[in-house]
Amino acid sequence: MTPNPAIISVIGSLNVDLVSRTPRIPHAGETLTSTSFAIGWGGKGANQAVACARLSRSRNQAQNDADVQVRMVGAVGADEFHAGFLAALREDGVNVDRVQILEGKKTGVAVILVETHSGENRILVFPGANGEVKGKRDLVEGDEGVVLFQLELPVEVVLHNMKIARDRGAETILNPAPAIPLPNEAYQGLRHLMVNETEAALLSGIENPTSWDEVAAVFISRGVENVIITLGGEGVFYKTAKQQSESQKGHMVPALKVKVVDTTGAGDTFAGAYTVAVARWKAMAQGADFDLDAAIAHANRAASMTVQKAGAQSSIPWANEVPEA
Ligand code: ATP
């Protein structure tokens, strides 16, 4: 094990994706034969944990030798899926000691129907064990450099643990997906907020923004330090509280021009690459400023790899597969 590795905890969801492809979506009462079926390990929490682990080392490097250690914190059911799921996470280098296995509960499941010709999907999510991570439970261990959150666990769990992580001096990163309105306390002292366009509009309350600066300003006024708005094929906008206080504009980084196959997982890859950069800085810091520009540029390049391959977790690259600046 590398001495004093940077520790990332991802406090979030684990879902099994059951994906069927169909020529068309069946009507009520109708049975159709699907053209393919696949089981995938997913959930935003698990996907982002895998992204953190892969993006912290090269494909052939053991996670123990990496300078970053990644912990998944959440719950699965003691059912037919959990052993395979946890084994896959371990295989990717994610520590799963803090994933609870709940007797009598089911692992979260997303039943996904994909209409082949349009690529449109219909998704039904059963939270299962994710929904059992309840109340004001302390899931932060205290040795983390970074704690990464999404909103697929009950919101009170997320809010409580964001506060604990902040109080213990960890860098907090929130990717508020799926977006639900949050109380102001969610943003107070939040170091990094990472939203896509839809989440940015819903959470800022600005439906038709005239500029991303305007949207970022709302989050900064609520107490966020670094606001990152991912804009799909357009790239990324980001702005800091410091820029805001100095009346400077935020920055825009265009997406890389690549051949897009499937954008699923792009946001999770971006989150993983960015989180690893924050964790490395936090472990080394000693007074140096966080190089936000470099972290964003790196995450943008990492996410551009994901869109060139099909699948969610399967398209997340390892660090050595991300092109150099
Ligand atoms: P998803 O839910 O599909 O995982 P998201 O909606 O959370 O993604 P996006 O804003 O769509 O996030 O994409 C995240 C990042 O992925 C972008 O900021 C960019 O870096 C990269 N990306 C997305 N789409 C493209 C594209 N078409 N070409 C190149 N890069 C892309």
Side-chain angles (χ1 to χ4, degrees), residues 62-313:
Q63 191 72 37
N64 266 354
D65 294 338
D67 60 345
V68 175
Q69 300 298 318
V70 183
R71 215 178 261 158
M72 178 75 218
V73 185
V76 290
D79 60 3
E80 49 281 76
F81 289 124
H82 81 276
F85 200 155
L86 298 185
L89 284 171
R90 274 192 214 102
E91 179 92 350
D92 264 311
V94 177
N95 180 316
V96 293
D97 294 352
R98 299 290 311 278
V99 177
Q100 284 186 282
I101 302 169
L102 303 179
E103 286 301 326
K105 301 294 175 191
K106 292 285 184 198
T107 302
V109 168
V111 175
I112 305 172
L113 296 187
V114 184
E115 194 177 46
T116 317
H117 72 91
S118 66
E120 270 190 16
N121 53 33
R122 306 270 196 292
I123 305 178
L124 256 182
V125 178
F126 174 64
N130 297 305
E132 301 298 322
V133 183
K134 284 189 186 131
K136 297 203 163 178
R137 287 191 27 225
D138 191 345
L139 302 173
V140 177
E141 287 194 73
D143 58 350
E144 295 94 342
V146 183
V147 188
L148 171 61
F149 299 89
Q150 312 78 26
L151 292 182
E152 288 185 345
L153 290 185
V155 71
E156 74 272 11
V157 175
V158 175
L159 293 177
H160 176 71
N161 283 284
M162 284 208 309
K163 182 172 183 317
I164 293 195
R166 277 198 298 266
D167 290 351
R168 295 191 183 162
E171 292 282 309
T172 46
I173 305 181
L174 175 63
N175 174 218
I180 47 166
L182 293 170
N184 265 354
E185 63 167 292
Y187 302 99
Q188 282 156 16
L190 176 62
R191 292 273 294 151
H192 312 264
L193 176 73
M194 193 181 297
V195 286
N196 67 15
E197 276 175 89
T198 320
E199 292 146 11
L202 193 139
L203 296 173
S204 67
I206 303 179
E207 264 178 47
N208 298 303
T210 52
S211 73
W212 293 116
D213 272 289
E214 181 193 0
V215 176
V218 171
F219 295 123
I220 290 169
S221 72
R222 292 178 191 162
V224 180
E225 189 136 345
N226 299 305
V227 176
I228 298 136
I229 306 177
T230 62
L231 304 168
E234 297 293 307
V236 201
F237 173 89
Y238 60 104
K239 183 167 193 169
T240 65
K242 185 161 178 276
Q243 286 169 332
Q244 171 85 4
S245 70
E246 293 171 355
S247 305
Q248 291 176 28
K249 287 201 176 303
H251 292 284
M252 178 77 206
V253 174
L256 271 69
K257 299 249 175 300
V258 293
K259 190 168 175 293
V260 178
V261 174
D262 174 9
T263 62
T264 312
D268 294 336
T269 302
F270 188 98
Y274 182 84
T275 302
V276 168
V278 175
R280 286 205 169 116
W281 162 77
K282 176 81 172 163
M284 305 288 286
Q286 290 157 356
D289 282 344
F290 175 53
D291 191 345
L292 181 62
D293 300 321
I296 297 280
H298 172 67
N300 191 43
R301 288 195 302 276
S304 80
M305 298 305 292
T306 300
V307 304
Q308 297 176 64
K309 283 191 190 164
Q313 281 191 6

